[in-house]
Amino acid sequence: MAEGEDLRSNIFVDLSTELPKHWRGLGRKLSVTDSELDTIDEDYHGDVIEKCYQTLLKWNQKFAAPSLDDLADALCKIGRRDLVELVTPKVSPRRVESQHPTRLEESKQKLNQQLRTKYLRLTKQVQPIPFIKDKRSIDTVFTEVGLNYKPVGDNDTWQKLDSHHDILTKTIEQSRIQIIEGDPGYGKSMLSLQLVHDWCTCDPRSPLNNVDILIHLNLRQLGGTTSIYSAIAKCLLPLDSSIKESDVEQLLQNESIRTLILFDAYDEYPDKDKEGNFVSQILEENLLQHVRVILTTRSSCIPDGCDGLTGRIKLTGFDRRAREEYVRKVVTGGDEEATQKILTQFNTNSILADICQVPLFSVIYAHSAHETKINIDFRSVTEFFGYMVCCFHDHAQNKAHMKATAEELVKLQGFKGTHDELDELAYRSLSAKNQQQTWDKDLLLKELGNEFYDRHVDIGILVEEEILNRNYPKQPNPYTAEVRFFHKLFSEWYAAHHLVKRLRSSQSSLPENLVELMDPSDLQHVYRFACGLDPLAAPRVLDLLKKKEDCARFAVLCALEQKDKAADVLDTVRDLVSRDVCIKGDDSRLLQRTTIQLVELACQHGIPITCLYLERCFAKFDVTNSCIVLESDFRLANMRTVRILHLQEWPEEHEITIGELLGLLQTCDGLEELRLVSRWSSLPPSIPSEMIPPAVEKRNIHVQYDRLNGRVYRLSLEHGQWKIHVQGACKSLSKSLIHMGRSSGHQEWCLQELKMATEAGVGISYLILDGTFNTVTDNGQSIILTSGSTIPVLHTLQELGIQYTDINLEMLVGILSYVKECPQMTELRFCVDQMPSVVDPGLIPPQLKQRELKVRWMSRGGMWDILDLETGQWK
């Protein structure tokens, strides 16, 4: 028999207070569609508890009182098994299999002891750069990189984390699965090792202290392994371990044991494209549904099927503080004079500083500068990386001087410039359908030759690893030697040399589907290095990229890798700016700077820029210096050839002034259209016509402002007034909310829209006063806001919400009097801490009782109370 509606309602209320951040993910698992979730999101904006409650109601209505078993399953799938007990009183019993507690605990303790032994050895063998042979402990070299995370269910907003500990304290509670993404060299594997070290050492600052079992697997080593239990037994446990695969399986399947699996280097996982691999089974919740997972990968290689329930963390690299911390802590050992010499080089060479936002580059440069006292004005990543590779060779050669003969030194010098075999090997491995990351040592020795191989292992560009022999014990040796590049970027460096060679030889030597085999989004440095290595090959590389969709922004980086840019790349620049030129807030500093250089180059040579698109990166317009300032503090000035300027979202707290708006119209001599798109930020509601320069008015620039939910306005440069543009936009108010925040400019826009809807007789679905309510006039004819603005009686308003303003009895009575004058009002909501505990029924207008107005109040406790209009009591 179906559970009673009262019981369900109570369960929904309880869950809503516990799941404010998970409401969208839960809805998807309950088969509530995205369009239905979007409607809930708009109707109850700013009230996440109510969103969750309405989602549960939608599920209940949609499927005609479905079983609470399904709700319990959905909670498990979003990683909130802890809430199943709120549902389980009426859920059918579920069978749980487990070992005897004593045996289970013994197995867990033994497994943890062996894991910690393995991990501590692993974390004490860190090699910051290739030619530093002494191994270090991860905690002595680890430096916090920039970390941003995207809340579950939010497709747009990245928020900053303070440290790697926040990955677990702030984000893993939202989702069972966390993906840590980053471009090459951004420190994904170093971060993984630091997390492992925190667990092993029981770091009191780390939330990993709450994890019973931590499984850390480097996926690069697991090609051909079909079971996670087998992977653990083979890669993490000693050969003489008494723990069997079946023991590992029983431990991981036991839901009372808090287990975290850390998969490192998914982008290098040989079996990632094989259907049904064990990693995919875990991510898709076909295996170990209760286990939490952290997975690291390149940003270009996010696993398929990772929907809105997956948490996303992005590594943003080293800022100035992180570089300084690393140099002082790891490179100079606190020697302040040596530290300042290295930091001065970073701080006085802006391009070098941007390049060294990539932690690997920063680390390599810092150590090289400390050893060789270099100070070079690098102009591109190719110049930088090429110089670093030379430094590795020179470092090894300097060490060899004391014992090598003249003939041997000549041979060593030759290795620096001749590496065709390694070039071809790298190119072949990266252009294969399944990229090869490791090689058998004996086979590689035959291909490269002993002397060449030993030289590159000695330098550290090639690294030997002992891997458990998959054929053991059928073969006597339990371990086999495999070889890999120190970092995949080195593989891309050598592959780029071979690509250049093939580009210069003949077009027929290149496969037609090269950009599919070597995807630029995954292997961007192959193409960037190729352009920087050979200016004659660069045009061919850019032609290849044009065949690949969405490569225009990436082609900018490739084009500006060339030397003598202004003389050699104008045709490329002309082609690139004929399409949209985009700068995004989450772009690296190097990409932002490079794109700005492209814009400046086009403007200097009078090349028209079709559209400059600034997405979530605009900070302000500097009126004094007539330039756009980005949030990264980069500046754009004299953009005289830009035809369309498009600003997409800017900080909500920044209200663009009249001076800024006029400055934007005048900074581009050839501007034809200015388009501004923002959900919450605002523009001046009008511009005095006398302030509009005649030259701007004469050019008749198309100025458009896209507000929330399809409301589009155009600015008349003759009168300085905004006019609604999209036909029927006024009616969009009937399907959405108006959220009135504290910004005075935003309030003016909201008041205009309320007036417009009322005069047109269009229903206003929901008005939220977010900390802006002050009082109601004595006659109940208008609401007075904290800014002093007033909201007259809205005859078409359907729901009113008041948030973050404590309400006393006088306020409440005034609000009820105002609601009485709004004939279409059906619901009044309060999200406040303080509210009169009881209301004299005589003070409640009888019209509201007849209308059956619903009055709801949610306090800090997260529970909804409903006002009984007959008794004045909250229930």
Side-chain angles (χ1 to χ4, degrees):
M1 184 176 69
E3 294 84 346
E5 289 305 311
D6 288 344
L7 172 62
R8 283 175 177 263
S9 179
N10 290 335
I11 289 174
F12 293 171
V13 168
D14 290 343
L15 285 176
S16 298
T17 61
E18 298 288 343
L19 284 167
K21 298 177 181 178
H22 296 145
W23 69 274
R24 186 178 286 271
L26 179 65
R28 286 177 175 149
K29 290 301 177 186
L30 293 173
S31 299
V32 181
T33 67
D34 279 343
S35 61
E36 290 169 335
L37 293 171
D38 288 342
T39 300
I40 292 172
D41 193 18
E42 292 179 2
D43 289 348
Y44 300 93
H45 179 78
D47 189 347
V48 290
I49 293 177
E50 184 62 20
K51 289 178 189 179
C52 188
Y53 184 76
Q54 293 297 327
T55 299
L56 291 167
L57 285 183
K58 173 62 72 174
W59 166 69
N60 193 52
Q61 296 162 1
K62 187 175 181 178
F63 297 99
S67 170
L68 289 177
D69 282 337
D70 296 336
L71 178 55
D73 286 339
L75 290 169
C76 293
K77 288 178 180 179
I78 65 170
R80 295 307 304 268
R81 187 174 295 274
D82 57 307
L83 299 181
V84 170
E85 63 184 21
L86 296 178
V87 183
T88 48
K90 292 294 181 179
V91 174
S92 57
R94 299 170 185 267
R95 183 169 59 92
V96 180
E97 296 181 356
S98 65
Q99 295 178 311
H100 186 276
T102 304
R103 164 68 176 145
L104 181 72
E105 188 62 29
E106 287 177 359
S107 296
K108 186 179 77 171
Q109 290 178 1
K110 187 177 295 183
L111 176 64
N112 276 344
Q113 181 182 6
Q114 294 178 4
L115 288 176
R116 281 191 161 90
T117 301
K118 172 76 174 182
Y119 294 158
L120 286 172
R121 181 171 178 269
L122 181 68
T123 58
K124 292 182 184 298
Q125 294 183 325
V126 176
Q127 189 178 359
I129 64 172
F131 60 69
I132 294 181
K133 294 304 180 182
D134 58 311
K135 309 294 184 179
R136 306 190 184 187
S137 176
I138 182 65
D139 61 311
T140 66
V141 299
F142 178 76
T143 303
E144 294 282 1
V145 297
L147 291 169
N148 289 342
Y149 83 100
K150 185 181 290 186
V152 175
D154 189 335
N155 295 324
D156 300 318
T157 307
W158 289 93
Q159 301 177 18
K160 187 175 182 180
L161 297 178
D162 294 328
S163 82
H164 70 284
H165 297 310
D166 292 339
I167 293 172
L168 293 123
T169 56
K170 290 188 178 179
T171 67
I172 207 163
E173 292 179 0
Q174 299 183 18
S175 172
R176 186 180 73 89
I177 300 170
Q178 299 294 322
I179 293 178
I180 300 177
E181 60 182 276
D183 287 335
Y186 270 68
K188 301 179 290 293
S189 293
M190 295 289 278
L191 174 57
S192 297
L193 285 178
Q194 183 61 42
L195 290 171
V196 169
H197 184 271
D198 290 347
W199 182 75
C200 286
T201 58
C202 302
D203 187 331
R205 300 166 299 173
S206 174
L208 284 165
N209 287 326
N210 296 321
V211 172
D212 296 323
I213 296 176
L214 175 66
I215 302 299
H216 172 260
L217 291 170
N218 189 319
L219 294 178
R220 182 182 62 244
Q221 302 172 350
L222 295 179
T225 305
T226 58
S227 159
I228 186 170
Y229 313 116
S230 175
I232 294 168
K234 290 181 178 180
C235 297
L236 300 181
L237 302 183
L239 291 174
D240 60 352
S241 175
S242 61
I243 299 177
K244 302 176 182 178
E245 281 188 34
S246 57
D247 297 327
V248 175
E249 182 174 356
Q250 288 177 326
L251 285 168
L252 264 62
Q253 288 186 348
N254 190 291
E255 298 180 14
S256 67
I257 297 176
R258 296 166 296 186
T259 302
L260 173 66
I261 299 176
L262 177 51
F263 288 129
D264 189 25
Y266 176 82
D267 53 292
E268 299 182 38
Y269 179 35
D271 295 345
K272 63 178 178 291
D273 296 324
K274 288 186 180 180
E275 186 174 352
N277 66 72
F278 71 83
V279 177
S280 296
Q281 290 179 25
I282 293 173
L283 296 179
E284 294 168 7
E285 300 183 334
N286 294 320
L287 180 67
L288 301 177
Q289 296 180 1
H290 63 286
V291 171
R292 297 194 182 279
V293 177
I294 295 177
L295 178 144
T296 74
T297 184
R298 287 191 178 194
S299 299
S300 58
C301 192
I302 304 299
D304 293 335
C306 290
D307 56 17
L309 295 179
T310 303
R312 298 278 288 276
I313 295 109
K314 179 180 287 187
L315 305 186
T316 61
F318 271 3
D319 57 13
R320 179 178 293 196
R321 178 207 56 78
R323 282 198 299 270
E324 181 176 340
E325 179 184 340
Y326 183 87
V327 170
R328 184 172 282 112
K329 172 182 173 181
V330 184
V331 180
T332 67
D335 183 331
E336 195 59 29
E337 182 179 357
T339 298
Q340 290 306 318
K341 285 182 179 179
I342 297 173
L343 294 178
T344 298
Q345 295 178 37
F346 282 124
N347 299 334
T348 56
N349 185 336
S350 58
I351 293 180
L352 175 64
D354 292 344
I355 290 173
C356 289
Q357 181 183 357
V358 180
L360 177 65
F361 291 167
S362 185
V363 167
I364 290 175
Y365 184 85
H367 284 281
S368 299
H370 186 52
E371 289 229 348
T372 61
K373 314 303 179 188
I374 59 174
N375 190 3
I376 297 176
D377 187 14
F378 296 107
R379 295 175 295 171
S380 69
V381 174
T382 306
E383 286 185 357
F384 173 84
F385 203 83
Y387 188 85
M388 292 300 102
V389 171
C390 288
C391 284
F392 300 158
H393 283 277
D394 292 342
H395 178 85
Q397 189 165 326
N398 290 337
K399 288 198 306 180
H401 263 291
M402 298 299 295
K403 53 186 179 180
T405 65
E407 183 181 351
E408 289 171 333
L409 288 175
V410 169
K411 185 176 289 187
L412 290 175
Q413 184 67 23
F415 286 144
K416 183 165 67 172
T418 305
H419 38 74
D420 291 346
E421 294 86 354
L422 196 58
D423 298 346
E424 185 176 356
L425 175 78
Y427 176 87
R428 192 169 65 239
S429 68
L430 294 181
S431 60
K433 183 176 181 181
N434 294 315
Q435 295 177 15
Q436 185 175 357
Q437 305 296 332
T438 61
W439 295 267
D440 178 83
K441 177 181 176 179
D442 293 335
L443 294 177
L444 200 60
L445 275 168
K446 290 179 181 179
E447 183 163 354
L448 299 179
N450 285 10
E451 288 182 315
F452 186 95
Y453 174 87
D454 290 342
R455 164 70 168 178
H456 285 78
V457 169
D458 184 54
I459 292 171
I461 290 176
L462 294 178
V463 177
E464 294 180 349
E465 289 182 325
E466 278 194 339
I467 304 297
L468 189 68
N469 191 334
R470 297 189 183 96
N471 294 318
Y472 180 80
K474 295 180 180 179
Q475 294 183 0
N477 188 356
Y479 293 99
T480 183
E482 290 190 350
V483 185
R484 62 175 175 84
F485 282 99
F486 174 78
H487 194 280
K488 195 174 179 181
L489 280 170
F490 288 90
S491 180
E492 294 187 53
W493 170 256
Y494 290 105
H497 283 78
H498 189 74
L499 175 60
V500 165
K501 184 177 179 181
R502 299 187 69 168
L503 285 169
R504 296 199 66 179
S505 60
S506 67
Q507 187 169 358
S508 59
S509 65
L510 284 173
E512 293 184 0
N513 62 338
L514 178 66
V515 290
E516 277 72 39
L517 293 175
M518 301 179 72
D519 186 349
S521 64
D522 179 37
L523 301 170
Q524 59 163 293
H525 285 89
V526 172
Y527 298 95
R528 292 174 66 178
F529 289 151
C531 287
L533 287 169
D534 189 343
L536 296 178
R540 294 280 305 282
V541 172
L542 295 170
D543 286 340
L544 286 171
L545 294 175
K546 292 174 188 175
K547 300 176 183 178
K548 177 80 172 174
E549 292 185 9
D550 302 324
C551 275
R553 277 160 44 76
F554 168 66
V556 172
L557 287 171
C558 292
L560 297 183
E561 283 292 319
Q562 303 172 72
K563 298 178 181 179
D564 302 322
K565 301 178 180 64
D568 295 340
V569 302
L570 289 185
D571 287 341
T572 300
V573 170
R574 188 172 287 105
D575 180 65
L576 292 175
V577 301
S578 66
R579 301 181 288 269
D580 288 359
V581 177
C582 183
I583 301 176
K584 296 184 177 182
D586 59 357
D587 287 343
S588 68
R589 288 184 60 84
L590 183 61
L591 180 52
Q592 283 196 3
R593 180 186 293 278
T594 305
T595 308
I596 291 170
Q597 288 175 343
L598 174 75
V599 171
E600 292 173 343
L601 199 56
C603 292
Q604 288 169 11
H605 292 82
I607 301 173
I609 300 172
T610 301
C611 178
L612 177 59
Y613 189 97
L614 306 181
E615 180 181 339
R616 300 180 185 277
C617 63
F618 174 83
K620 64 179 181 179
F621 185 86
D622 185 338
V623 178
T624 303
N625 296 298
S626 298
C627 63
I628 289 174
V629 181
L630 304 184
E631 290 189 315
S632 59
D633 209 33
F634 286 135
R635 294 173 178 249
L636 285 156
N638 301 320
M639 300 176 293
R640 59 190 184 89
T641 64
V642 173
R643 297 290 181 258
I644 299 174
L645 180 59
H646 188 135
L647 271 59
Q648 175 90 28
E649 300 295 350
W650 54 92
E652 184 176 347
E653 63 274 9
H654 179 66
E655 296 184 25
I656 293 179
T657 65
I658 292 176
E660 287 181 277
L661 185 56
L662 292 175
L664 288 168
L665 293 172
Q666 296 176 85
T667 191
C668 309
D669 295 341
L671 191 66
E672 298 170 358
E673 179 179 336
L674 173 62
R675 186 173 183 185
L676 306 109
V677 181
S678 179
R679 296 182 67 191
W680 307 113
S681 306
S682 62
L683 296 171
S686 63
I687 302 177
S689 56
E690 63 272 15
M691 292 184 65
I692 301 175
V696 171
E697 182 181 344
K698 185 178 180 180
R699 284 160 56 196
N700 196 28
I701 302 169
H702 176 98
V703 184
Q704 181 170 310
Y705 178 28
D706 295 23
R707 277 176 54 76
L708 182 65
N709 295 319
R711 302 196 284 278
V712 178
Y713 296 83
R714 283 187 177 173
L715 179 65
S716 167
L717 292 175
E718 181 180 358
H719 305 102
Q721 300 295 321
W722 294 95
K723 297 181 180 180
I724 193 76
H725 169 58
V726 176
Q727 187 175 7
C730 182
K731 293 183 179 179
S732 70
L733 291 166
S734 65
K735 301 177 182 178
S736 60
L737 61 84
I738 294 181
H739 186 278
M740 190 171 291
R742 294 176 175 85
S743 161
S744 58
H746 186 63
Q747 286 184 18
E748 289 190 58
W749 277 98
C750 292
L751 291 170
Q752 279 191 17
E753 291 176 337
L754 291 171
K755 179 181 178 182
M756 179 178 62
T758 302
E759 291 176 348
V762 173
I764 305 167
S765 64
Y766 190 18
L767 169 64
I768 294 179
L769 304 182
D770 189 354
T772 58
F773 174 83
N774 183 26
T775 188
V776 176
T777 55
D778 292 340
N779 57 7
Q781 292 298 309
S782 61
I783 290 174
I784 302 176
L785 304 178
T786 52
S787 63
S789 299
T790 60
I791 303 175
V793 169
L794 302 172
H795 297 286
T796 61
L797 179 61
Q798 295 161 6
E799 296 182 18
L800 173 64
I802 296 176
Q803 297 181 170
Y804 308 119
T805 304
D806 289 341
I807 302 298
N808 59 35
L809 181 60
E810 182 181 356
M811 288 178 174
L812 179 58
V813 172
I815 293 167
L816 293 174
S817 299
Y818 175 84
V819 170
K820 179 192 69 173
E821 304 298 327
C822 304
Q824 295 188 26
M825 275 269 301
T826 59
E827 186 163 334
L828 172 64
R829 299 182 203 168
F830 296 94
C831 291
V832 299
D833 291 339
Q834 301 295 325
M835 176 70 71
S837 58
V838 65
V839 184
D840 184 344
L843 298 176
I844 300 174
Q847 296 92 329
L848 302 184
K849 303 174 187 177
Q850 297 167 5
R851 200 191 303 171
E852 297 184 350
L853 176 77
K854 186 178 291 184
V855 182
R856 306 173 69 193
W857 167 39
M858 184 178 68
S859 65
R860 186 177 296 175
M863 301 290 291
W864 281 109
D865 290 329
I866 297 177
L867 181 64
D868 186 328
L869 300 181
E870 295 293 339
T871 65
Q873 301 286 333
W874 294 99
K875 296 183 178 179

